[in-house]
Amino acid sequence: LEHLAHHDPLTGLPNRAYFNRQLGEALEDLGKGGAQVNLLLLDLDRFKPVNDNLGHAVGDALLVAAAERMALLRGPHDLVARLGGDEFALIQRVRQDPILEASQLARALVQAIATPFSVLGHQVSIGASVGIAKAPRQDAAAPALLKSADIALYAAKSAGRGTYRLYKEGMVMAGAIERGELRLHYQPIVAVADGALAGYEALLRWQHHELGLIMPADFIALAEDGGQIIRIGQWVIEEACRVAARLPQHLTMAVNVSAAQLHQESFVDAVNHALLDSRLSPSRLEIELTESMALTSDAAQSAVAQLHALGVRLSLDDFGTGHSTLSNLLQLPIHGIKIDRSFVTD
């Protein structure tokens, strides 16, 4: 009865209840004799299609086989548990280099699950994504550690799956797209002469499930530090193009881009893909840049030239600040200038 209460009946691994108890105990022992704790969360990639197409019997056998491979890789003091569905967790107790050991274990897990399985007469290939969180201190709380590992798992999935990621503070943004928390608000652009609507500027907001509406100034730096800004920026362009395509033909859509995006080799291709996918005319998309972004490198200047050749409108944002000079206006193929508000507020 004790065993049944604390173990998964399918795989024989400890269940969520037993895992929670063991995690709490591991955190209580944190620091004693140099003991350190890592938490690894693992999701099986492409498991649902196997379950749907080959049946639940094959799916169950695959879970059992995957669990066996995971159990073979655990250390003598580690715990592997099935949390439910295709979700697994591993508590790793270490005394040397926690990050190195967690990375080695995660890499081994990803490689082991990527090796094809033979189950009930079927050759099945799946993968695994792993998120890692290191208990930061002796008073670490289990829910906070689980949340950190979950955020790292989202980051691994966002990176293309079949890989692992270590939790970092900036990763709080990872998964915001998957959870549908990012929003675009649209600020109207009107003609000064008659007040007629000329277009919109897309403004990014984060509707956090716990913290409410968060403004860009409070999360863009996190996204940049955590390596999420490229993907978030691409989502913004794609979403803005889709919305613009449904608007009257004379209206434009302006989008801010980051320096990281502009320096990305694939940025122009990504913009072109968004235009083709939404069937939006390039002349209706306006990319907002700053001088420092557009002039700091050959890669950035090349991207600006390619965007111009593509037919995309370009505007210079925050003009009048930093090292703004009128001579820069001759170097850049821009369609408009946004004078910094510090010059016009009064």
Side-chain angles (χ1 to χ4, degrees):
L1 287 175
E2 175 75 13
H3 181 84
L4 290 173
H6 294 105
H7 288 78
D8 172 46
L10 177 64
T11 63
L13 293 178
N15 60 16
R16 184 183 289 271
Y18 189 73
F19 161 80
N20 287 334
R21 192 173 77 185
Q22 289 297 306
L23 180 59
E25 292 180 3
L27 293 178
E28 288 178 4
D29 293 337
L30 192 63
K32 296 178 181 178
Q36 301 185 66
V37 175
N38 292 322
L39 174 61
L40 291 78
L41 293 183
L42 182 149
D43 274 6
L44 298 180
D45 302 328
R46 303 186 301 278
F47 172 76
K48 189 176 185 299
V50 173
N51 218 25
D52 293 344
N53 298 329
L54 299 181
H56 291 289
V58 174
D60 287 349
L62 180 58
L63 287 172
V64 172
E68 290 174 349
R69 291 187 184 180
M70 294 179 212
L72 288 173
L73 293 171
R74 68 186 172 194
H77 304 294
D78 298 342
L79 176 83
V80 180
R82 183 188 178 201
L83 302 184
D86 62 349
E87 301 174 69
F88 297 83
L90 193 145
I91 301 170
Q92 185 186 36
R93 293 175 171 87
V94 295
R95 294 187 181 278
Q96 300 299 321
D97 187 333
I99 300 302
L100 176 63
E101 294 193 36
S103 299
Q104 290 174 339
L105 178 57
R107 192 179 301 114
L109 288 167
V110 169
Q111 292 174 349
I113 301 301
T115 304
F117 291 83
S118 179
V119 288
L120 301 183
H122 297 275
Q123 285 291 114
V124 180
S125 294
I126 58 172
S129 298
V130 181
I132 305 168
K134 173 186 174 295
R137 53 189 180 274
Q138 285 182 260
D139 60 345
L145 190 63
L146 275 163
K147 183 177 181 180
S148 297
D150 194 44
I151 290 171
L153 178 58
Y154 267 116
K157 291 179 178 180
S158 299
R161 302 176 185 269
T163 187
Y164 68 92
R165 288 292 184 268
L166 295 160
Y167 173 75
K168 293 187 292 187
E169 285 296 329
M171 282 183 174
V172 70
M173 285 296 298
I177 296 177
E178 289 82 356
R179 295 190 297 269
E181 294 180 353
L182 296 186
R183 304 278 192 277
L184 287 185
H185 290 192
Y186 299 94
Q187 177 171 278
I189 300 172
V190 298
V192 174
D194 57 7
L197 183 64
Y200 292 93
E201 179 180 357
L203 305 174
L204 180 62
R205 302 290 185 265
W206 183 12
Q207 187 66 49
H208 193 274
H209 58 288
E210 294 178 352
L211 304 177
L213 190 66
I214 304 176
M215 303 299 281
D218 296 321
F219 68 80
I220 290 299
L222 288 176
E224 290 175 340
D225 292 342
Q228 304 299 316
I229 193 65
I230 300 297
R231 186 156 182 265
I232 290 172
Q234 180 60 26
W235 177 87
V236 169
I237 291 176
E238 291 173 354
E239 182 67 15
C241 286
R242 278 194 290 269
V243 171
R246 300 195 295 266
L247 298 175
Q249 294 291 316
H250 69 285
L251 298 180
T252 61
M253 180 66 73
V255 177
N256 287 279
V257 300
S258 69
Q261 287 175 272
L262 195 62
H263 288 83
Q264 192 88 355
E265 287 186 7
S266 59
F267 175 62
V268 177
D269 288 338
V271 171
N272 192 35
H273 175 78
L275 290 168
L276 294 173
D277 190 53
S278 63
R279 298 183 179 180
L280 181 70
S281 170
S283 62
R284 295 183 59 203
L285 175 65
E286 182 170 308
I287 300 293
E288 296 190 0
L289 312 165
T290 63
E291 285 176 288
S292 59
M293 287 167 48
L295 295 170
T296 50
S297 71
D298 292 340
Q301 293 183 45
S302 174
V304 169
Q306 291 179 63
L307 289 170
H308 178 68
L310 197 61
V312 172
R313 293 173 58 86
L314 299 167
S315 65
L316 209 55
D317 200 3
D318 299 332
F319 186 76
T321 60
H323 299 285
S324 298
T325 66
L326 294 175
S327 63
N328 287 342
L329 301 184
L330 299 177
Q331 299 181 43
L332 297 170
I334 57 175
H335 297 82
I337 301 171
K338 294 181 70 177
I339 300 173
D340 188 75
R341 68 174 60 203
S342 62
F343 289 92
V344 297
T345 300
D346 297 330

Short mmCIF file of all heavy atoms in Angstrom, two decimals, residues 15-30 37-41 79 81 83 89-93 133-135 138 140-147 149:
data_model
loop_
_atom_site.label_atom_id
_atom_site.label_comp_id
_atom_site.label_asym_id
_atom_site.label_seq_id
_atom_site.Cartn_x
_atom_site.Cartn_y
_atom_site.Cartn_z
N ASN A 15 5.82 8.95 -7.86
CA ASN A 15 4.82 9.85 -8.42
C ASN A 15 5.02 11.27 -7.90
O ASN A 15 5.97 11.56 -7.17
CB ASN A 15 3.41 9.34 -8.12
CG ASN A 15 3.13 9.22 -6.63
OD1 ASN A 15 3.84 9.79 -5.80
ND2 ASN A 15 2.11 8.46 -6.28
N ARG A 16 4.10 12.16 -8.26
CA ARG A 16 4.23 13.57 -7.91
C ARG A 16 4.25 13.77 -6.39
O ARG A 16 5.03 14.59 -5.87
CB ARG A 16 3.10 14.38 -8.54
CG ARG A 16 3.21 15.88 -8.29
CD ARG A 16 2.02 16.62 -8.89
NE ARG A 16 2.06 16.64 -10.33
CZ ARG A 16 2.68 17.57 -11.05
NH1 ARG A 16 3.33 18.55 -10.44
NH2 ARG A 16 2.66 17.53 -12.37
N ALA A 17 3.41 13.05 -5.67
CA ALA A 17 3.34 13.23 -4.22
C ALA A 17 4.67 12.87 -3.56
O ALA A 17 5.18 13.61 -2.70
CB ALA A 17 2.21 12.38 -3.64
N TYR A 18 5.24 11.74 -3.96
CA TYR A 18 6.52 11.31 -3.39
C TYR A 18 7.64 12.26 -3.81
O TYR A 18 8.54 12.58 -3.01
CB TYR A 18 6.83 9.88 -3.84
CG TYR A 18 8.02 9.27 -3.13
CD1 TYR A 18 7.93 8.88 -1.79
CD2 TYR A 18 9.23 9.08 -3.79
CE1 TYR A 18 9.02 8.32 -1.14
CE2 TYR A 18 10.32 8.51 -3.15
CZ TYR A 18 10.21 8.13 -1.82
OH TYR A 18 11.28 7.58 -1.18
N PHE A 19 7.59 12.70 -5.06
CA PHE A 19 8.58 13.65 -5.56
C PHE A 19 8.56 14.93 -4.73
O PHE A 19 9.62 15.43 -4.34
CB PHE A 19 8.30 13.96 -7.03
CG PHE A 19 8.94 15.23 -7.52
CD1 PHE A 19 10.28 15.25 -7.88
CD2 PHE A 19 8.21 16.40 -7.62
CE1 PHE A 19 10.88 16.43 -8.31
CE2 PHE A 19 8.78 17.57 -8.06
CZ PHE A 19 10.12 17.58 -8.41
N ASN A 20 7.37 15.47 -4.47
CA ASN A 20 7.26 16.71 -3.70
C ASN A 20 7.87 16.55 -2.31
O ASN A 20 8.55 17.44 -1.80
CB ASN A 20 5.80 17.14 -3.59
CG ASN A 20 5.27 17.70 -4.90
OD1 ASN A 20 6.02 18.21 -5.71
ND2 ASN A 20 3.96 17.60 -5.10
N ARG A 21 7.62 15.39 -1.69
CA ARG A 21 8.16 15.13 -0.36
C ARG A 21 9.68 15.05 -0.39
O ARG A 21 10.38 15.62 0.45
CB ARG A 21 7.57 13.84 0.20
CG ARG A 21 7.86 13.64 1.70
CD ARG A 21 7.13 12.46 2.25
NE ARG A 21 7.78 11.20 1.87
CZ ARG A 21 7.29 9.99 2.15
NH1 ARG A 21 6.13 9.89 2.77
NH2 ARG A 21 7.94 8.91 1.79
N GLN A 22 10.21 14.35 -1.40
CA GLN A 22 11.66 14.18 -1.52
C GLN A 22 12.36 15.50 -1.86
O GLN A 22 13.46 15.77 -1.39
CB GLN A 22 11.98 13.13 -2.59
CG GLN A 22 11.63 11.72 -2.18
CD GLN A 22 12.45 11.26 -0.98
OE1 GLN A 22 13.68 11.33 -1.00
NE2 GLN A 22 11.78 10.81 0.07
N LEU A 23 11.70 16.34 -2.67
CA LEU A 23 12.29 17.63 -3.00
C LEU A 23 12.38 18.50 -1.75
O LEU A 23 13.40 19.17 -1.52
CB LEU A 23 11.45 18.34 -4.07
CG LEU A 23 11.96 19.72 -4.52
CD1 LEU A 23 13.38 19.62 -5.08
CD2 LEU A 23 11.02 20.33 -5.56
N GLY A 24 11.35 18.48 -0.94
CA GLY A 24 11.37 19.24 0.30
C GLY A 24 12.49 18.78 1.22
O GLY A 24 13.21 19.61 1.82
N GLU A 25 12.68 17.47 1.32
CA GLU A 25 13.74 16.94 2.17
C GLU A 25 15.12 17.29 1.62
O GLU A 25 16.05 17.59 2.38
CB GLU A 25 13.59 15.42 2.30
CG GLU A 25 12.35 15.00 3.08
CD GLU A 25 12.22 13.49 3.19
OE1 GLU A 25 13.13 12.78 2.68
OE2 GLU A 25 11.21 13.02 3.76
N ALA A 26 15.25 17.23 0.28
CA ALA A 26 16.55 17.56 -0.33
C ALA A 26 16.92 19.02 -0.07
O ALA A 26 18.07 19.35 0.21
CB ALA A 26 16.50 17.30 -1.83
N LEU A 27 15.92 19.90 -0.11
CA LEU A 27 16.19 21.31 0.13
C LEU A 27 16.50 21.58 1.60
O LEU A 27 17.25 22.50 1.92
CB LEU A 27 14.99 22.16 -0.32
CG LEU A 27 14.73 22.17 -1.83
CD1 LEU A 27 13.50 22.99 -2.17
CD2 LEU A 27 15.95 22.72 -2.58
N GLU A 28 15.94 20.77 2.50
CA GLU A 28 16.27 20.90 3.92
C GLU A 28 17.72 20.53 4.19
O GLU A 28 18.37 21.07 5.09
CB GLU A 28 15.34 20.02 4.76
CG GLU A 28 13.91 20.53 4.84
CD GLU A 28 13.02 19.60 5.64
OE1 GLU A 28 13.54 18.59 6.18
OE2 GLU A 28 11.80 19.86 5.72
N ASP A 29 18.24 19.59 3.40
CA ASP A 29 19.63 19.15 3.57
C ASP A 29 20.62 20.02 2.81
O ASP A 29 21.84 19.78 2.88
CB ASP A 29 19.77 17.70 3.08
CG ASP A 29 19.00 16.73 3.96
OD1 ASP A 29 18.75 17.07 5.13
OD2 ASP A 29 18.62 15.64 3.47
N LEU A 30 20.12 21.00 2.07
CA LEU A 30 20.97 21.84 1.24
C LEU A 30 22.05 22.53 2.08
O LEU A 30 21.76 23.13 3.11
CB LEU A 30 20.11 22.90 0.53
CG LEU A 30 20.76 23.70 -0.60
CD1 LEU A 30 21.14 22.78 -1.75
CD2 LEU A 30 19.79 24.76 -1.10
N VAL A 37 21.68 20.98 -4.68
CA VAL A 37 20.54 20.31 -5.33
C VAL A 37 20.24 20.97 -6.66
O VAL A 37 20.16 22.19 -6.77
CB VAL A 37 19.29 20.38 -4.43
CG1 VAL A 37 18.08 19.80 -5.15
CG2 VAL A 37 19.53 19.66 -3.12
N ASN A 38 20.08 20.12 -7.67
CA ASN A 38 19.58 20.55 -8.97
C ASN A 38 18.22 19.92 -9.21
O ASN A 38 17.97 18.78 -8.80
CB ASN A 38 20.51 20.10 -10.11
CG ASN A 38 21.84 20.81 -10.09
OD1 ASN A 38 21.92 21.99 -9.78
ND2 ASN A 38 22.90 20.07 -10.39
N LEU A 39 17.36 20.65 -9.88
CA LEU A 39 16.07 20.11 -10.29
C LEU A 39 16.00 20.14 -11.81
O LEU A 39 16.20 21.19 -12.43
CB LEU A 39 14.92 20.93 -9.69
CG LEU A 39 13.51 20.54 -10.17
CD1 LEU A 39 13.20 19.09 -9.79
CD2 LEU A 39 12.47 21.48 -9.58
N LEU A 40 15.72 18.99 -12.42
CA LEU A 40 15.57 18.89 -13.86
C LEU A 40 14.14 18.49 -14.20
O LEU A 40 13.63 17.50 -13.65
CB LEU A 40 16.54 17.86 -14.46
CG LEU A 40 18.04 18.18 -14.44
CD1 LEU A 40 18.65 17.94 -13.07
CD2 LEU A 40 18.76 17.34 -15.49
N LEU A 41 13.48 19.25 -15.04
CA LEU A 41 12.17 18.89 -15.55
C LEU A 41 12.31 18.46 -17.00
O LEU A 41 13.00 19.14 -17.78
CB LEU A 41 11.20 20.07 -15.45
CG LEU A 41 10.81 20.53 -14.05
CD1 LEU A 41 9.77 21.66 -14.14
CD2 LEU A 41 10.25 19.39 -13.22
N LEU A 79 16.80 11.09 -7.75
CA LEU A 79 15.43 10.58 -7.81
C LEU A 79 14.82 10.96 -9.15
O LEU A 79 14.83 12.13 -9.53
CB LEU A 79 14.58 11.15 -6.68
CG LEU A 79 13.10 10.75 -6.72
CD1 LEU A 79 12.93 9.38 -6.09
CD2 LEU A 79 12.23 11.78 -6.02
N ALA A 81 11.20 10.90 -11.20
CA ALA A 81 9.77 10.75 -10.93
C ALA A 81 8.97 11.08 -12.18
O ALA A 81 9.40 11.86 -13.03
CB ALA A 81 9.35 11.67 -9.78
N LEU A 83 5.70 12.96 -13.22
CA LEU A 83 4.75 13.91 -12.65
C LEU A 83 3.36 13.75 -13.24
O LEU A 83 2.37 14.18 -12.66
CB LEU A 83 5.24 15.34 -12.88
CG LEU A 83 6.63 15.67 -12.31
CD1 LEU A 83 6.94 17.15 -12.52
CD2 LEU A 83 6.72 15.30 -10.84
N ALA A 89 10.50 14.40 -13.78
CA ALA A 89 11.36 15.30 -13.00
C ALA A 89 12.49 14.48 -12.38
O ALA A 89 12.33 13.28 -12.10
CB ALA A 89 10.57 15.99 -11.89
N LEU A 90 13.61 15.14 -12.16
CA LEU A 90 14.77 14.46 -11.56
C LEU A 90 15.39 15.38 -10.52
O LEU A 90 15.71 16.54 -10.82
CB LEU A 90 15.78 14.09 -12.64
CG LEU A 90 16.88 13.12 -12.20
CD1 LEU A 90 17.24 12.19 -13.35
CD2 LEU A 90 18.11 13.86 -11.74
N ILE A 91 15.51 14.88 -9.30
CA ILE A 91 16.21 15.60 -8.24
C ILE A 91 17.64 15.09 -8.22
O ILE A 91 17.88 13.90 -8.02
CB ILE A 91 15.56 15.36 -6.86
CG1 ILE A 91 14.09 15.82 -6.88
CG2 ILE A 91 16.33 16.10 -5.77
CD1 ILE A 91 13.31 15.40 -5.64
N GLN A 92 18.59 15.98 -8.44
CA GLN A 92 20.00 15.60 -8.50
C GLN A 92 20.74 16.19 -7.31
O GLN A 92 20.78 17.40 -7.13
CB GLN A 92 20.62 16.11 -9.81
CG GLN A 92 22.06 15.66 -10.03
CD GLN A 92 22.68 16.30 -11.26
OE1 GLN A 92 22.42 17.45 -11.57
NE2 GLN A 92 23.53 15.54 -11.96
N ARG A 93 21.31 15.32 -6.49
CA ARG A 93 22.10 15.75 -5.34
C ARG A 93 23.57 15.70 -5.72
O ARG A 93 24.07 14.65 -6.12
CB ARG A 93 21.83 14.86 -4.14
CG ARG A 93 20.40 14.98 -3.58
CD ARG A 93 20.19 13.96 -2.47
NE ARG A 93 18.95 14.15 -1.75
CZ ARG A 93 17.79 13.64 -2.12
NH1 ARG A 93 17.72 12.90 -3.23
NH2 ARG A 93 16.70 13.84 -1.41
N ALA A 133 17.14 23.89 -12.96
CA ALA A 133 17.24 24.97 -11.98
C ALA A 133 18.09 24.49 -10.82
O ALA A 133 17.90 23.37 -10.31
CB ALA A 133 15.85 25.39 -11.48
N LYS A 134 19.04 25.32 -10.40
CA LYS A 134 19.89 25.01 -9.26
C LYS A 134 19.32 25.71 -8.03
O LYS A 134 19.00 26.89 -8.07
CB LYS A 134 21.32 25.48 -9.52
CG LYS A 134 22.25 25.37 -8.34
CD LYS A 134 23.59 26.01 -8.65
CE LYS A 134 24.50 26.03 -7.43
NZ LYS A 134 23.95 26.89 -6.34
N ALA A 135 19.17 24.94 -6.94
CA ALA A 135 18.71 25.55 -5.69
C ALA A 135 19.71 26.61 -5.28
O ALA A 135 20.88 26.31 -5.04
CB ALA A 135 18.56 24.49 -4.61
N GLN A 138 20.16 27.92 0.98
CA GLN A 138 19.58 26.97 1.92
C GLN A 138 18.10 27.20 2.20
O GLN A 138 17.39 26.26 2.53
CB GLN A 138 20.37 27.01 3.24
CG GLN A 138 21.73 26.32 3.13
CD GLN A 138 22.48 26.33 4.44
OE1 GLN A 138 23.36 27.14 4.64
NE2 GLN A 138 22.14 25.43 5.33
N ALA A 140 15.91 27.97 0.02
CA ALA A 140 15.18 27.85 -1.24
C ALA A 140 13.85 27.13 -1.02
O ALA A 140 13.78 26.13 -0.31
CB ALA A 140 16.01 27.10 -2.28
N ALA A 141 12.79 27.64 -1.65
CA ALA A 141 11.47 27.03 -1.52
C ALA A 141 11.20 26.16 -2.74
O ALA A 141 11.56 26.51 -3.87
CB ALA A 141 10.41 28.12 -1.41
N ALA A 142 10.57 25.01 -2.50
CA ALA A 142 10.30 24.07 -3.58
C ALA A 142 9.46 24.68 -4.70
O ALA A 142 9.78 24.50 -5.88
CB ALA A 142 9.63 22.82 -3.02
N PRO A 143 8.37 25.43 -4.40
CA PRO A 143 7.57 26.01 -5.48
C PRO A 143 8.38 26.96 -6.37
O PRO A 143 8.22 26.96 -7.59
CB PRO A 143 6.46 26.76 -4.74
CG PRO A 143 6.34 26.06 -3.42
CD PRO A 143 7.74 25.67 -3.08
N ALA A 144 9.26 27.76 -5.77
CA ALA A 144 10.08 28.69 -6.54
C ALA A 144 11.07 27.95 -7.43
O ALA A 144 11.30 28.32 -8.59
CB ALA A 144 10.83 29.64 -5.61
N LEU A 145 11.64 26.86 -6.90
CA LEU A 145 12.59 26.06 -7.68
C LEU A 145 11.87 25.38 -8.85
O LEU A 145 12.39 25.33 -9.97
CB LEU A 145 13.26 25.02 -6.79
CG LEU A 145 14.45 24.28 -7.41
CD1 LEU A 145 15.58 25.24 -7.71
CD2 LEU A 145 14.93 23.18 -6.46
N LEU A 146 10.68 24.88 -8.61
CA LEU A 146 9.88 24.27 -9.67
C LEU A 146 9.54 25.27 -10.76
O LEU A 146 9.60 24.96 -11.95
CB LEU A 146 8.60 23.67 -9.09
CG LEU A 146 8.71 22.27 -8.50
CD1 LEU A 146 7.51 21.96 -7.60
CD2 LEU A 146 8.79 21.23 -9.63
N LYS A 147 9.18 26.48 -10.35
CA LYS A 147 8.85 27.52 -11.32
C LYS A 147 10.06 27.87 -12.17
O LYS A 147 9.95 28.04 -13.39
CB LYS A 147 8.33 28.76 -10.60
CG LYS A 147 7.89 29.87 -11.54
CD LYS A 147 7.31 31.05 -10.78
CE LYS A 147 6.85 32.15 -11.72
NZ LYS A 147 6.27 33.30 -10.99
N ALA A 149 12.65 25.92 -12.88
CA ALA A 149 12.92 24.82 -13.80
C ALA A 149 11.91 24.80 -14.94
O ALA A 149 12.23 24.47 -16.09
CB ALA A 149 12.88 23.49 -13.04
#
